[in-house]
Amino acid sequence: MQKTVLITGASRGIGAATALMAVQRGYAVAVNYRSDAAAAADVVSRIEAAGGRAVAIRADVAAETEVLHLFEETERQLGPLSALVNNAAILEPQMTLETMSAERLQRVFATNVIGSLLCAREAVKRLSTRHGGPGGAIVNVSSMAARLGSANEYVDYAASKGAIDSFTLGLAREVAADGIRVNAVRPGLIHTDMHASGGEPGRIERLKGSVPMRRGGQAEEVAAAILWLLSDEASYTTASFIEVSGGR
Ligand code: NAP
Protein backbone atom coordinates (compact mmCIF):
# COMPACT_ATOMS: atom_id res chain seq x y z
CA MET A 1 0.00 0.00 0.00
CA GLN A 2 1.19 3.53 -0.77
CA LYS A 3 2.62 5.38 2.24
CA THR A 4 1.19 8.76 3.21
CA VAL A 5 3.22 11.62 4.67
CA LEU A 6 1.82 14.82 6.12
CA ILE A 7 4.21 17.76 5.79
CA THR A 8 3.32 20.95 7.67
CA GLY A 9 4.24 24.25 6.04
CA ALA A 10 4.78 22.66 2.64
CA SER A 11 3.65 25.54 0.44
CA ARG A 12 7.23 26.78 -0.02
CA GLY A 13 10.85 26.40 1.05
CA ILE A 14 12.05 23.25 2.80
CA GLY A 15 8.52 21.87 3.19
CA ALA A 16 7.77 22.17 -0.54
CA ALA A 17 11.13 20.60 -1.46
CA THR A 18 10.40 17.73 0.93
CA ALA A 19 6.94 17.23 -0.58
CA LEU A 20 8.34 17.04 -4.11
CA MET A 21 11.08 14.60 -3.06
CA ALA A 22 8.66 12.46 -1.01
CA VAL A 23 6.60 11.86 -4.13
CA GLN A 24 9.70 10.61 -5.96
CA ARG A 25 10.13 8.11 -3.09
CA GLY A 26 6.57 6.84 -3.57
CA TYR A 27 4.65 8.70 -0.86
CA ALA A 28 1.23 10.30 -1.24
CA VAL A 29 1.66 13.77 0.29
CA ALA A 30 -0.56 16.07 2.34
CA VAL A 31 0.70 19.60 1.64
CA ASN A 32 -0.28 21.71 4.64
CA TYR A 33 -0.18 25.51 4.51
CA ARG A 34 -1.56 28.38 6.58
CA SER A 35 -2.31 31.25 4.22
CA ASP A 36 -0.83 30.93 0.74
CA ALA A 37 -3.38 28.70 -1.03
CA ALA A 38 -1.97 29.52 -4.48
CA ALA A 39 1.55 28.42 -3.51
CA ALA A 40 0.22 25.17 -1.97
CA ALA A 41 -1.88 24.51 -5.10
CA ASP A 42 1.24 25.04 -7.22
CA VAL A 43 3.15 22.40 -5.20
CA VAL A 44 0.25 19.97 -5.69
CA SER A 45 0.16 20.70 -9.45
CA ARG A 46 3.90 20.03 -9.76
CA ILE A 47 3.47 16.74 -7.91
CA GLU A 48 0.54 15.70 -10.09
CA ALA A 49 2.45 16.68 -13.24
CA ALA A 50 5.17 14.27 -12.09
CA GLY A 51 2.56 11.50 -11.75
CA GLY A 52 2.29 11.71 -7.95
CA ARG A 53 -0.60 12.02 -5.52
CA ALA A 54 -1.01 15.06 -3.25
CA VAL A 55 -3.63 17.26 -1.64
CA ALA A 56 -3.33 20.77 -0.20
CA ILE A 57 -4.93 21.25 3.23
CA ARG A 58 -5.19 24.61 4.97
CA ALA A 59 -4.65 24.59 8.72
CA ASP A 60 -2.88 26.78 11.25
CA VAL A 61 -0.81 24.30 13.28
CA ALA A 62 -1.04 26.62 16.29
CA ALA A 63 -4.83 26.06 16.49
CA GLU A 64 -5.83 22.71 17.97
CA THR A 65 -9.16 22.41 16.13
CA GLU A 66 -7.41 23.09 12.82
CA VAL A 67 -4.77 20.43 13.59
CA LEU A 68 -7.52 17.89 14.27
CA HIS A 69 -9.13 18.84 10.94
CA LEU A 70 -5.74 18.57 9.16
CA PHE A 71 -5.21 14.97 10.28
CA GLU A 72 -8.82 13.94 9.58
CA GLU A 73 -8.68 15.43 6.07
CA THR A 74 -5.29 13.86 5.34
CA GLU A 75 -6.60 10.38 6.14
CA ARG A 76 -9.97 10.98 4.46
CA GLN A 77 -8.34 12.08 1.20
CA LEU A 78 -5.16 9.96 1.13
CA GLY A 79 -5.68 7.00 3.47
CA PRO A 80 -3.94 5.98 6.71
CA LEU A 81 -0.99 8.11 7.81
CA SER A 82 2.55 6.66 7.68
CA ALA A 83 4.69 9.65 8.61
CA LEU A 84 4.75 13.29 9.75
CA VAL A 85 7.22 16.07 8.99
CA ASN A 86 6.85 18.88 11.53
CA ASN A 87 8.23 21.63 9.32
CA ALA A 88 5.98 24.70 9.74
CA ALA A 89 7.56 27.52 11.71
CA ILE A 90 7.70 31.29 11.83
CA LEU A 91 10.47 33.80 12.31
CA GLU A 92 9.80 37.43 13.22
CA PRO A 93 11.94 40.53 12.55
CA GLN A 94 15.43 40.68 13.99
CA MET A 95 15.70 42.46 17.36
CA THR A 96 17.12 41.96 20.84
CA LEU A 97 15.02 40.39 23.60
CA GLU A 98 14.69 43.79 25.30
CA THR A 99 12.32 44.95 22.56
CA MET A 100 10.28 41.77 21.99
CA SER A 101 6.60 41.96 22.91
CA ALA A 102 4.80 39.22 24.83
CA GLU A 103 2.47 38.82 21.83
CA ARG A 104 5.41 38.02 19.56
CA LEU A 105 6.75 35.43 22.03
CA GLN A 106 3.28 33.84 22.17
CA ARG A 107 3.05 33.70 18.36
CA VAL A 108 6.50 32.14 17.90
CA PHE A 109 6.02 29.51 20.59
CA ALA A 110 2.42 28.77 19.54
CA THR A 111 3.45 27.88 15.99
CA ASN A 112 6.96 26.52 16.39
CA VAL A 113 6.57 24.55 19.62
CA ILE A 114 2.90 23.94 20.45
CA GLY A 115 2.04 23.39 16.78
CA SER A 116 4.71 20.71 16.47
CA LEU A 117 3.64 19.03 19.72
CA LEU A 118 -0.03 18.98 18.68
CA CYS A 119 0.79 17.51 15.27
CA ALA A 120 3.07 14.89 16.81
CA ARG A 121 0.32 13.99 19.30
CA GLU A 122 -2.15 13.38 16.51
CA ALA A 123 0.43 11.36 14.55
CA VAL A 124 1.28 9.19 17.57
CA LYS A 125 -2.42 8.41 18.16
CA ARG A 126 -2.66 7.07 14.61
CA LEU A 127 0.74 5.39 14.22
CA SER A 128 1.35 3.75 17.60
CA THR A 129 1.28 -0.04 17.56
CA ARG A 130 -0.05 0.27 21.13
CA HIS A 131 -3.29 1.60 19.61
CA GLY A 132 -3.29 -0.93 16.76
CA GLY A 133 -1.51 1.41 14.33
CA PRO A 134 1.20 0.40 11.86
CA GLY A 135 4.12 2.30 13.44
CA GLY A 136 5.82 5.06 11.48
CA ALA A 137 8.21 7.97 11.59
CA ILE A 138 8.20 11.61 12.64
CA VAL A 139 10.83 14.13 11.60
CA ASN A 140 10.95 17.48 13.37
CA VAL A 141 12.61 20.40 11.61
CA SER A 142 14.75 22.11 14.23
CA SER A 143 17.55 24.58 13.43
CA MET A 144 21.21 25.23 14.08
CA ALA A 145 19.77 28.23 15.95
CA ALA A 146 18.99 25.77 18.78
CA ARG A 147 22.76 25.34 19.27
CA LEU A 148 23.93 28.84 18.30
CA GLY A 149 21.28 30.94 20.11
CA SER A 150 20.70 33.65 17.45
CA ALA A 151 21.96 36.52 19.64
CA ASN A 152 20.87 39.98 18.42
CA GLU A 153 18.59 38.41 15.80
CA TYR A 154 15.90 36.21 17.33
CA VAL A 155 16.62 34.42 20.60
CA ASP A 156 12.89 33.62 20.77
CA TYR A 157 13.09 31.57 17.57
CA ALA A 158 16.31 29.88 18.74
CA ALA A 159 14.68 28.99 22.07
CA SER A 160 11.67 27.55 20.24
CA LYS A 161 14.03 25.29 18.29
CA GLY A 162 15.81 24.31 21.53
CA ALA A 163 12.40 23.13 22.71
CA ILE A 164 12.03 21.10 19.51
CA ASP A 165 15.34 19.37 20.25
CA SER A 166 14.25 18.38 23.79
CA PHE A 167 10.86 17.31 22.52
CA THR A 168 12.46 15.15 19.81
CA LEU A 169 14.57 13.29 22.38
CA GLY A 170 11.73 12.84 24.85
CA LEU A 171 9.08 11.74 22.40
CA ALA A 172 11.50 9.41 20.61
CA ARG A 173 12.13 7.55 23.87
CA GLU A 174 8.43 7.64 24.82
CA VAL A 175 7.24 5.92 21.64
CA ALA A 176 10.29 3.85 20.60
CA ALA A 177 8.70 0.60 21.78
CA ASP A 178 5.47 1.47 19.94
CA GLY A 179 6.98 1.34 16.45
CA ILE A 180 7.48 5.07 15.98
CA ARG A 181 10.87 6.65 15.28
CA VAL A 182 11.29 10.36 16.04
CA ASN A 183 14.27 12.30 14.72
CA ALA A 184 15.16 15.85 13.74
CA VAL A 185 17.19 17.80 11.24
CA ARG A 186 18.99 21.02 12.13
CA PRO A 187 19.29 23.10 8.96
CA GLY A 188 21.84 25.91 8.86
CA LEU A 189 21.57 28.84 6.44
CA ILE A 190 19.18 27.62 3.75
CA HIS A 191 18.04 29.64 0.72
CA THR A 192 14.32 30.18 1.40
CA ASP A 193 11.96 33.14 1.97
CA MET A 194 12.28 32.73 5.73
CA HIS A 195 15.16 35.21 5.98
CA ALA A 196 12.94 37.91 4.46
CA SER A 197 10.44 37.22 7.29
CA GLY A 198 13.26 38.08 9.68
CA GLY A 199 13.69 41.37 7.81
CA GLU A 200 16.94 40.52 6.01
CA PRO A 201 16.48 38.75 2.65
CA GLY A 202 20.26 38.94 2.04
CA ARG A 203 21.19 37.35 5.40
CA ILE A 204 22.91 34.33 3.87
CA GLU A 205 25.12 36.61 1.74
CA ARG A 206 26.21 38.43 4.92
CA LEU A 207 26.87 35.26 6.91
CA LYS A 208 28.10 32.71 4.39
CA GLY A 209 31.75 33.53 5.16
CA SER A 210 31.17 32.00 8.63
CA VAL A 211 30.10 28.68 7.09
CA PRO A 212 33.02 26.25 6.69
CA MET A 213 31.64 25.28 3.25
CA ARG A 214 31.36 29.03 2.41
CA ARG A 215 27.81 28.83 1.03
CA GLY A 216 24.17 28.58 2.03
CA GLY A 217 22.32 25.31 1.53
CA GLN A 218 19.47 24.47 -0.81
CA ALA A 219 16.07 23.30 0.45
CA GLU A 220 16.59 20.01 -1.42
CA GLU A 221 19.73 19.30 0.63
CA VAL A 222 17.59 19.43 3.79
CA ALA A 223 14.78 17.45 2.17
CA ALA A 224 17.19 14.61 1.38
CA ALA A 225 18.12 14.26 5.07
CA ILE A 226 14.44 14.35 6.09
CA LEU A 227 13.55 11.66 3.55
CA TRP A 228 16.39 9.44 4.76
CA LEU A 229 15.22 9.74 8.38
CA LEU A 230 11.68 8.82 7.28
CA SER A 231 12.88 5.83 5.28
CA ASP A 232 13.41 2.20 6.28
CA GLU A 233 17.13 2.78 5.74
CA ALA A 234 16.98 4.65 9.06
CA SER A 235 15.23 1.73 10.79
CA TYR A 236 17.53 1.73 13.87
CA THR A 237 17.81 5.52 14.07
CA THR A 238 15.68 7.35 16.62
CA ALA A 239 16.23 10.30 18.98
CA SER A 240 18.87 11.47 16.50
CA PHE A 241 19.77 14.75 14.82
CA ILE A 242 21.23 15.44 11.40
CA GLU A 243 22.88 18.83 10.99
CA VAL A 244 22.53 20.10 7.44
CA SER A 245 24.60 23.23 7.84
CA GLY A 246 27.77 23.06 5.80
CA GLY A 247 29.79 22.49 8.99
CA ARG A 248 28.57 25.67 10.74
P1 NAP B 1 9.46 29.45 4.89
O1 NAP B 1 9.99 29.54 3.51
O2 NAP B 1 9.21 30.70 5.66
O3 NAP B 1 8.13 28.56 4.83
C1 NAP B 1 7.37 28.39 6.00
C2 NAP B 1 6.20 27.51 5.69
O4 NAP B 1 5.48 27.29 6.92
C3 NAP B 1 5.21 28.09 4.72
O5 NAP B 1 4.71 27.03 3.91
C4 NAP B 1 4.09 28.64 5.61
O6 NAP B 1 2.81 28.61 4.98
C5 NAP B 1 4.11 27.61 6.71
N1 NAP B 1 3.56 28.07 7.97
C6 NAP B 1 3.96 29.12 8.74
N2 NAP B 1 3.20 29.19 9.84
C7 NAP B 1 2.30 28.18 9.77
C8 NAP B 1 1.25 27.75 10.61
N3 NAP B 1 0.96 28.38 11.75
N4 NAP B 1 0.54 26.68 10.23
C9 NAP B 1 0.80 26.02 9.08
N5 NAP B 1 1.79 26.39 8.24
C10 NAP B 1 2.53 27.46 8.59
O7 NAP B 1 10.41 28.58 5.82
P2 NAP B 1 11.59 27.52 5.50
O8 NAP B 1 12.86 28.29 5.47
O9 NAP B 1 11.25 26.61 4.42
O10 NAP B 1 11.59 26.75 6.89
C11 NAP B 1 11.04 25.47 7.07
C12 NAP B 1 11.53 24.93 8.39
O11 NAP B 1 12.96 24.93 8.40
C13 NAP B 1 11.11 25.75 9.61
O12 NAP B 1 10.87 24.88 10.70
C14 NAP B 1 12.35 26.60 9.89
O13 NAP B 1 12.41 27.01 11.23
C15 NAP B 1 13.43 25.60 9.54
N6 NAP B 1 14.73 26.20 9.27
C16 NAP B 1 14.92 27.01 8.19
C17 NAP B 1 16.19 27.54 7.97
C18 NAP B 1 16.50 28.44 6.81
O14 NAP B 1 17.64 28.94 6.73
N7 NAP B 1 15.59 28.67 5.88
C19 NAP B 1 17.23 27.26 8.87
C20 NAP B 1 16.99 26.45 9.95
C21 NAP B 1 15.73 25.90 10.14
P3 NAP B 1 2.09 29.94 4.42
O15 NAP B 1 3.05 30.57 3.46
O16 NAP B 1 0.85 29.45 3.79
O17 NAP B 1 1.87 30.81 5.64
Side-chain angles (χ1 to χ4, degrees), residues 8-16 32-37 39-40 58-63 70 86-91 110-112 140-145 157 160-161 185-195 197 203-204 217 219 222:
T8 64
S11 56
R12 62 171 193 258
I14 292 168
N32 160 250
Y33 67 101
R34 179 189 48 181
S35 52
D36 194 343
R58 203 210 75 77
D60 178 347
V61 297
L70 171 63
N86 258 327
N87 169 76
I90 56 168
L91 179 71
T111 296
N112 299 9
N140 295 324
V141 181
S142 175
S143 172
M144 284 306 292
Y157 170 83
S160 76
K161 295 300 187 176
V185 293
R186 288 195 196 102
L189 298 166
I190 309 300
H191 289 282
T192 73
D193 294 340
M194 184 167 253
H195 306 283
S197 311
R203 180 167 175 263
I204 295 181
V222 182

Side-chain angles (χ1 to χ4, degrees), residues 54-126:
V55 290
I57 305 173
R58 203 210 75 77
D60 178 347
V61 297
E64 184 177 21
T65 51
E66 297 188 26
V67 169
L68 298 181
H69 170 77
L70 171 63
F71 278 78
E72 282 160 15
E73 273 304 296
T74 296
E75 295 207 312
R76 191 181 69 75
Q77 297 193 49
L78 297 175
L81 192 73
S82 318
L84 166 70
V85 181
N86 258 327
N87 169 76
I90 56 168
L91 179 71
E92 299 221 359
Q94 296 174 2
M95 62 180 71
T96 58
L97 178 65
E98 291 170 53
T99 46
M100 286 180 195
S101 68
E103 290 74 20
R104 165 182 167 138
L105 301 178
Q106 299 280 4
R107 283 194 300 274
V108 168
F109 276 76
T111 296
N112 299 9
V113 182
I114 298 184
S116 296
L117 279 130
L118 289 173
C119 289
R121 183 190 75 189
E122 291 309 303
V124 166
K125 283 186 196 167
R126 288 161 172 83

